[in-house]
């Protein structure tokens, strides 16, 4: 019998895609090492001093910040009046003060600087707090704060979770505040739908979903009643504790067409323990953002919404009496509403109690704009912004000068419509004033204020709102950070220019930002393109579309930091180093532009997006040359995993190879997509699933499984067995359809991985690279490689 191996090798050569002129016939471990050096995770800290996080002193507008000085932390104090930036303290003196409390190599986080007293407050890696005198030098150390506690505003009381209830620790002991908590209806705990149950730390966290009133007299919060929700099984096949018997986890998760768990809104008088349940009205639920409290701590303002965000309202809640009042209410005509142009961002809503006004965000006129309302009557007073551009973030409100500062995109003609600029507008009306004129992406973050997850505020503006910190960049121009005057935006002094020497040493090359037309032939779209080192318009380089794809956010980087290391998708610069042209496109249906642009992604978000991806890649190929349109691949994670598989199945004429990780391949088997895809309609407007097998028409069409017979290219499906965002069953249900259709595909099971493995798992990253190198580049991947870059 003749040997089999040579025949298989010959067959592999016949099936491999043809190599283009000048293309390498093999890749080596050195090529992978070069690609690893520009991987997002490798470069996550490579840009030094790319931003300035200001810690403002109470005296008006001086601040201190931390910078990286050749691998050593350096702290500086900025005085805008004197236009100076000087060392905050002698680092050697701090080291001497800490000599008896920590080893020289111990991580130290400076949390406060008091220059007049020559004192620095630090937090050590073990959680201890040090109050350090630099003139002595000596540090007085305090034990780490007790874990699992939510301190009151005065610090004299603390709230904790006790079983399924809340407990209060006071000077004279601890007492229960609630007694009616139960499993799956608990106080202060993450609900199962939080997507963080299986990866939870064994330590008891501080209470979540509950907040102190500013005077410490009351607690306000929410809890979900998941007792009637059916368990959803996850199998931990390789137990993390080293045992051999697989473990079954069964969080309570509602799927499409099942009633969501009821939400209870409550207020508790801390002294008496009396609890009030607050009725928002039938169908209304509370968003988790805290919009502030009244001065007497009796009232709080929140955002409420109905199922699918078909209506939303600014609600005033009297926590003392348990009464509610909807101040502003808005209803969607066709799609859904959001209190911000981007999901998951804090609402662009502010309450101005002293003047009796509220700033409200709305897309009612087709663009995201700010409106002023009377807080008492709910009367619309005026539109603060208007026009064919969109407000992105409310950054600061100055009630005394009656000004609101906000970022917006698309207002400056002839510029990238995604670039954010800062503006100031009067609450009394008038045109916005541009404060950051540079043609670039300006990073001026809003202060973050949500109950879940809690995050410390990061303020770009001084407490007196006279100056602010501005960092700007593009994908090929490193960040520049300056201090500006808030009245007209003039630059008062430079602060930092980013140090990119580590990028240069790694061989990172910036991508290009380009535009093209959508599949409708009219709408301008934007893409970011990474080219291989040997790119030539005369050669034919394989192309990969890197996508996130969902209507949640933006895909194509606009800033330098995003181009270097981003959240999703990753590996773009690395794949370019391996010889691919890599493209990311913001198609119709994504956010950051007009309401009509975003609404293309409501319901069937994937069909128009894929057609836009194809149209843009073809135009870029015609413009740049060097694209081999016979070898086009696609990859993505989460929503991008869905879109990657869908692209291969829906357009096999264009896409030849796909890698899909953690994809929600159907949405009838998922939770919480109604505000993006639309409420389910099971006939006659019914939104409750009549049978376990019932699927609304829209959701049936979105199911990738029904396209399984169309598979022609090479598909890699990957999933983690503890993924609480895109459940493992969703990938296996698509795999089952492919098996029944007798299709060849690769299935990669990753034990004990949650949803983030795409960004953090070196094994999956290597298999992703191998998949495209073998099936799209057409060469054998090198063996024995790892993601540790060589020296």
């Amino acid at each position: 019998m003749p040997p089999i191996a040579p025949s298989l090798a010959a067959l592999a050569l016949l099936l491999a895609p043809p190599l283009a002129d000048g293309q390498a016939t093999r890749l080596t471990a050195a090529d992978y090492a070069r690609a690893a050096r520009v991987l997002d995770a490798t470069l996550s800290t490579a840009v030094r001093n790319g931003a300035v996080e200001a810690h403002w002193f109470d005296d008006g507008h001086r601040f201190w910040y931390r910078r990286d000085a050749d691998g050593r932390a350096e702290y500086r104090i900025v005085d805008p009046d004197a236009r100076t930036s000087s060392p905050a303290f002698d680092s050697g003196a701090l080291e001497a003060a800490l000599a008896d409390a920590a080893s020289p190599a111990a991580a130290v986080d400076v949390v406060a600087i008091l220059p007049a007293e020559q004192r620095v407050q630090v937090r050590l890696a073990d959680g201890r707090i040090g109050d350090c005198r630099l003139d002595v030098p000596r540090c007085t150390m305090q034990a780490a704060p007790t874990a699992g506690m939510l301190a009151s505003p005065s610090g004299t009381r603390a709230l904790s979770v006790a079983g399924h209830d809340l407990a209060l620790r006071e000077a004279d002991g601890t007492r229960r505040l609630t007694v009616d908590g139960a499993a799956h209806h608990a106080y202060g705990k993450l609900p199962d739908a939080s997507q963080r149950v299986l990866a939870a730390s064994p330590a008891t966290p501080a209470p979540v979903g509950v907040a102190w009133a500013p005077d410490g007299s009351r607690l306000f919060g929410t809890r979900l009643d998941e007792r009637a929700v059916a368990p959803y099984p996850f199998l931990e096949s390789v137990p993390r504790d080293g045992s051999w018997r697989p473990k079954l986890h069964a969080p309570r998760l509602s799927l499409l067409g099942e009633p969501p768990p009821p939400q209870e809104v409550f207020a508790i008088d801390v002294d008496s323990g009396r609890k009030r349940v607050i009725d928002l009205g039938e169908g209304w639920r509370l968003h988790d953002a805290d919009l502030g409290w009244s001065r007497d701590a009796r009232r709080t303002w929140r955002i409420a919404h109905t199922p699918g965000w078909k209506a939303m309202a600014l609600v005033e809640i009297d926590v003392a009496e348990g009464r509610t009042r909807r101040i502003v209410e808005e209803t969607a005509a066709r799609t859904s509403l959001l209190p911000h142009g981007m999901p998951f961002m804090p609402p662009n809503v502010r309450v101005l109690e002293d003047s009796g006004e509220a700033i409200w965000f709305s897309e009612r006129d087709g663009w995201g704009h700010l409106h002023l309302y009377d807080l008492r009557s709910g009367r619309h007073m005026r539109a603060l912004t208007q026009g064919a551009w969109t407000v992105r973030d409310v950054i600061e409100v100055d009630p005394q000068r009656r000004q609101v500062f906000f970022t917006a995109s698309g207002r400056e003609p002839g510029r990238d419509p995604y670039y954010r600029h800062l503006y100031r507008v009067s609450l009394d009306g008038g045109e916005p004033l541009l404060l950051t004129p540079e043609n670039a992406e300006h990073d001026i973050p809003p202060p973050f204020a949500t109950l879940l997850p809690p995050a410390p505020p990061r303020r770009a503006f001084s407490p007196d709102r006279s100056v602010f910190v501005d960092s700007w960049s593009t994908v090929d121009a490193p960040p520049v950070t300056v201090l500006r005057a808030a009245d007209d935006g003039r630059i008062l002094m430079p602060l930092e220019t980013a140090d990119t020497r580590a990028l240069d040493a790694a061989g990172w090359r910036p991508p290009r930002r380009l535009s093209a037309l959508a599949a409708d032939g009219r709408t301008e779209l934007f893409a970011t393109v990474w080219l291989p080192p040997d790119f030539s318009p005369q050669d034919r380089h394989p192309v990969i579309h890197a996508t996130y794809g969902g209507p949640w956010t933006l895909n194509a980087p606009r800033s330098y930091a995003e181009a270097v290391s981003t959240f999703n998708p990753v590996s773009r610069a690395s794949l370019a180093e391996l010889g691919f042209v890599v493209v990311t496109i913001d198609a119709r249906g994504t956010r950051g532009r007009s309401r009509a642009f975003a609404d293309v992604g409501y319901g069937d978000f994937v069909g128009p997006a894929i057609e836009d991806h194809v149209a843009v890649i073809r135009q870029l190929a015609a413009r740049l040359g060097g694209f081999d349109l016979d070898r086009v691949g696609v990859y993505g994670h989460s929503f991008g995993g869905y879109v990657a598989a869908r692209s291969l199945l829906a357009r096999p004429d264009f896409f030849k190879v796909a890698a899909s990780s953690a994809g929600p391949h159907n949405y009838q088997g998922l939770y919480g997509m109604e505000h993006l895809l639309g409420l389910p309609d099971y006939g006659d407007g019914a939104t409750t699933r009549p049978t376990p097998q019932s699927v609304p028409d829209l959701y049936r069409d979105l199911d990738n499984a029904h396209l399984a017979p169309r598979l022609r290219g090479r598909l890699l499906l990957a999933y983690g067995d503890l993924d609480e965002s895109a459940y493992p069953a969703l990938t296996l249900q698509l795999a089952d359809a492919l098996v029944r259709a007798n299709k060849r595909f690769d299935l990669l099971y990753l034990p004990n991985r949650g949803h983030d493995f795409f960004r953090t798992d070196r094994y999956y990253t290597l298999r992703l690279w191998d998949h495209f190198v073998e099936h799209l580049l057409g060469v054998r991947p090198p063996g024995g490689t790892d993601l540790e870059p060589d020296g």
Side-chain angles (χ1 to χ4, degrees):
M1 179 179 294
I4 296 176
S7 299
L8 291 178
L11 179 59
L13 290 173
L14 289 173
L15 295 178
L19 296 175
D21 294 340
Q23 182 177 304
T25 57
R26 60 188 295 268
L27 290 179
T28 67
D31 295 314
Y32 269 44
R34 190 180 69 250
R37 284 195 290 269
V38 296
L39 185 62
D40 300 69
T42 308
L43 299 179
S44 60
T45 60
V47 179
R48 292 164 45 187
N49 305 317
V52 168
E53 183 173 350
H55 300 264
W56 302 95
F57 293 111
D58 295 333
D59 58 5
H61 48 242
R62 292 190 312 136
F63 66 93
W64 64 268
Y65 74 96
R66 179 191 185 279
R67 69 182 307 274
D68 187 342
D70 292 324
R72 179 188 179 95
E74 178 183 274
Y75 296 86
R76 303 191 71 81
I77 291 178
V78 175
D79 185 336
D81 292 333
R83 306 291 199 271
T84 59
S85 173
S86 56
F89 55 83
D90 181 353
S91 298
L94 178 59
E95 291 177 2
L98 282 166
D100 294 333
S103 67
V108 175
D109 182 21
V110 172
V111 296
I113 298 175
L114 296 87
E117 304 172 32
Q118 296 191 58
R119 288 170 54 206
V120 175
Q121 294 176 351
V122 300
R123 181 186 296 112
L124 303 187
D126 59 10
R128 287 181 297 157
I129 302 296
D131 190 349
C132 301
R133 289 286 302 270
L134 303 184
D135 55 343
V136 176
R138 184 179 64 251
C139 290
T140 302
M141 304 304 299
Q142 298 178 5
T146 304
M149 294 288 182
L150 180 65
S152 65
S154 67
T156 58
R157 293 167 157 177
L159 195 67
S160 63
V161 173
H164 303 300
D165 284 293
L166 296 174
L168 183 70
R169 189 181 71 178
E170 300 175 285
D172 57 352
T174 300
R175 60 185 170 94
R176 288 284 184 108
L177 271 182
T178 63
V179 295
D180 59 334
H184 306 293
H185 191 206
Y187 292 93
K189 290 186 176 181
L190 288 172
D192 286 2
S194 67
Q195 304 179 1
R196 286 182 285 174
V197 175
L198 304 185
S201 167
T204 301
V208 297
V210 61
W212 287 92
D215 64 356
S217 64
R218 297 180 179 87
L219 295 169
F220 177 80
T222 62
R223 61 172 177 159
L224 293 184
D225 187 354
E226 298 176 310
R227 290 173 294 183
V229 177
Y232 191 101
F234 289 81
L235 186 63
E236 186 179 333
S237 297
V238 184
R240 290 168 286 181
D241 63 6
S243 60
W244 300 104
R245 186 180 298 275
K247 297 181 183 297
L248 182 67
H249 303 277
R252 307 295 179 95
L253 298 173
S254 298
L255 303 185
L256 182 74
E258 297 174 355
Q263 181 193 62
E264 178 185 272
V265 181
F266 63 86
I268 299 173
D269 184 280
V270 176
D271 288 337
S272 68
R274 182 185 179 188
K275 170 187 163 184
R276 290 184 182 275
V277 175
I278 298 168
D279 183 10
L280 297 178
E282 185 177 357
W284 287 88
R285 299 171 76 88
L286 210 60
H287 186 262
D288 60 10
D290 182 352
L291 300 179
W293 291 74
S294 61
R295 294 194 185 281
D296 61 8
R298 290 178 58 95
R299 292 166 294 144
T300 183
W301 294 279
R302 308 283 165 143
I303 298 292
H305 63 92
T306 60
W309 285 82
K310 288 295 185 179
M312 69 176 181
L314 171 61
V315 178
E316 180 182 88
I317 301 172
D318 187 325
V319 295
E321 301 295 332
R323 294 192 298 264
T324 66
R325 181 171 68 94
R326 293 180 210 152
I327 300 168
V328 183
E329 185 173 344
E330 191 167 341
T331 303
R334 187 183 71 84
T335 56
S336 61
L337 301 170
L338 286 173
H340 188 286
M342 299 277 184
F344 306 127
M345 291 297 292
N348 280 327
V349 180
R350 299 292 186 272
V351 173
L352 312 177
E353 181 185 12
D354 290 345
S355 61
E357 296 166 313
I359 298 171
W360 179 255
F361 175 85
S362 174
E363 296 177 304
R364 67 184 63 158
D365 66 352
W367 298 84
H369 283 299
L370 302 179
H371 298 260
L372 193 67
Y373 279 83
D374 186 288
L375 189 61
R376 298 175 181 86
S377 68
R379 176 178 60 88
H380 183 262
M381 300 173 67
R382 66 184 61 88
L384 298 176
T385 62
Q386 55 190 328
W389 49 277
T390 188
V391 169
R392 297 288 293 277
D393 292 294
V394 173
I395 305 298
E396 195 75 33
V397 178
D398 187 337
Q400 286 72 40
R401 298 182 182 92
R402 295 190 57 74
Q403 297 171 342
V404 56
F405 297 87
F406 63 93
T407 55
S409 54
R411 189 174 186 270
E412 304 309 309
R415 297 188 178 184
D416 189 318
Y418 291 96
Y419 283 168
R420 291 176 297 171
H421 297 272
L422 185 75
Y423 299 85
R424 173 172 57 81
V425 72
S426 172
L427 294 174
D428 297 316
E431 284 296 306
L433 175 67
L434 173 65
L435 299 176
T436 55
E438 293 81 10
N439 185 15
E441 168 77 351
H442 290 262
D443 178 20
I444 305 172
F448 212 83
T450 60
L451 290 179
L452 182 66
R458 177 185 165 195
R459 305 199 78 95
F461 273 75
S462 61
D464 65 3
R465 303 179 183 90
S466 64
V467 297
F468 66 94
V469 176
D470 172 30
S471 296
W472 74 83
S473 69
T474 64
V475 295
D476 56 0
V480 173
T481 304
V482 300
L483 187 69
R484 292 185 183 269
D487 57 353
D488 59 5
R490 69 188 183 280
I491 295 177
L492 299 177
M493 57 185 295
L495 296 176
E496 295 287 348
T497 297
D499 181 346
T500 62
R501 287 175 294 174
L503 293 182
D504 298 336
W508 183 84
R509 296 169 299 104
R512 298 176 63 178
R513 180 102 172 141
L514 301 167
S515 66
L517 293 180
D520 64 3
R522 302 185 306 273
T523 306
E524 186 179 30
L525 302 180
F526 284 77
T528 307
V529 182
W530 288 256
L531 298 176
D534 61 347
F535 179 80
S536 168
Q538 286 70 47
D539 290 336
R540 295 170 60 231
H541 303 271
V543 182
I544 299 177
H545 177 224
T547 185
Y548 175 61
W552 300 94
T553 184
L554 303 177
N555 297 284
R558 302 157 305 286
S559 71
Y560 198 81
E562 290 175 312
V564 172
S565 179
T566 193
F567 178 73
N568 189 5
V570 297
S571 278
R572 291 176 286 201
S574 298
L575 287 168
E577 288 296 321
L578 295 177
F580 302 96
V581 173
V582 184
V583 182
T584 296
I585 303 159
D586 282 317
R588 289 173 299 160
T590 52
R591 302 280 175 169
R593 294 178 63 178
S594 70
R595 180 71 206 219
F597 189 94
D599 280 352
V600 174
Y602 187 80
D604 178 18
F605 73 91
V606 69
I610 291 175
E611 294 308 309
D612 283 351
H613 299 158
V614 172
V616 169
I617 291 172
R618 283 177 169 161
Q619 292 171 66
L620 295 178
R623 186 184 314 170
L624 300 177
F627 286 37
D628 187 348
L629 295 185
D630 291 326
R631 292 185 293 163
V632 180
V634 56
Y635 74 96
H637 182 78
S638 191
F639 257 113
Y642 169 81
V643 173
R646 185 80 172 198
S647 299
L648 193 66
L649 297 171
R651 290 298 306 267
D653 59 311
F654 189 79
F655 295 102
K656 304 301 191 299
V657 179
S660 165
S661 54
H665 295 289
N666 69 68
Y667 297 99
Q668 63 270 21
L670 202 57
Y671 167 83
M673 294 294 106
E674 293 84 351
H675 68 293
L676 294 173
L677 306 179
L679 293 172
D681 184 354
Y682 293 95
D684 298 325
T687 59
T688 302
R689 191 179 63 228
T691 70
Q693 296 78 25
S694 298
V695 182
D697 290 343
L698 168 64
Y699 286 80
R700 181 180 293 106
D701 291 340
L702 290 172
D703 189 344
N704 276 342
H706 87 278
L707 297 179
R710 295 173 57 92
L711 178 63
R712 284 163 35 192
R714 298 301 299 249
L715 174 62
L716 169 64
L717 295 175
Y719 72 99
D721 61 356
L722 299 182
D723 189 336
E724 299 175 77
S725 296
Y727 313 146
L730 303 179
T731 294
L732 295 177
Q733 287 158 7
L734 174 58
D736 174 66
L738 293 168
V739 169
R740 287 186 281 108
N742 195 29
K743 296 296 181 178
R744 287 179 175 268
F745 65 100
D746 296 318
L747 181 64
L748 178 57
Y749 156 74
L750 296 166
N752 296 327
R753 268 67 159 192
H755 195 61
D756 282 348
F757 70 83
F758 176 75
R759 291 178 283 275
T760 60
D761 195 274
R762 55 203 271 183
Y763 181 80
Y764 176 69
T765 300
L766 280 171
R767 301 294 78 78
L768 171 74
W769 296 359
D770 288 349
H771 186 67
F772 286 114
V773 165
E774 179 176 1
H775 301 300
L776 199 63
L777 194 61
V779 302
R780 186 187 300 277
T785 56
D786 205 338
L787 284 185
E788 295 293 335
D790 59 19

